Amino acid sequence: MPYRILLRRDISINWSYNDPVLMLGEPGVESDTGKLKIGDGQSPWNNLPYTEGVTGPIGPQGTQGAQGPPHGSSG
């Protein structure tokens, strides 16, 4: 028998208006933005940070192009 796991979800304005406290480890998804918060069992929704995924390293900075004439000159 397959099981189905549903995450708590709603649109962002409803999350902000209702400002619920999610249980420790309980995920909450904004269905209109796709953003996710994880409950700590104490903090209301509006005080929880959004969960950010793993990010890769920052790549090297490219070379800077030629600089144009000063603003207002006709050169």
Side-chain angles (χ1 to χ4, degrees), residues 9-20 32 45-46:
R9 63 207 179 281
D10 207 338
I11 59 173
S12 59
I13 195 165
N14 289 344
W15 280 115
S16 295
Y17 178 77
N18 294 315
D19 203 19
D32 56 338
W45 176 266
N46 293 328

Side-chain angles (χ1 to χ4, degrees), residues 1 6 8-10 12-14 22 33-34 36 38 43-44 49 75:
M1 175 181 219
L6 297 175
R8 196 162 164 187
R9 63 207 179 281
D10 207 338
S12 59
I13 195 165
N14 289 344
L22 300 178
T33 68
L36 172 75
I38 305 292
S43 303

Side-chain angles (χ1 to χ4, degrees), residues 38-63:
I38 305 292
D40 63 6
Q42 299 177 36
S43 303
W45 176 266
N46 293 328
N47 293 352
L48 291 172
Y50 287 103
T51 301
E52 296 186 24
V54 177
T55 58
I58 296 175
Q61 184 172 347
T63 58

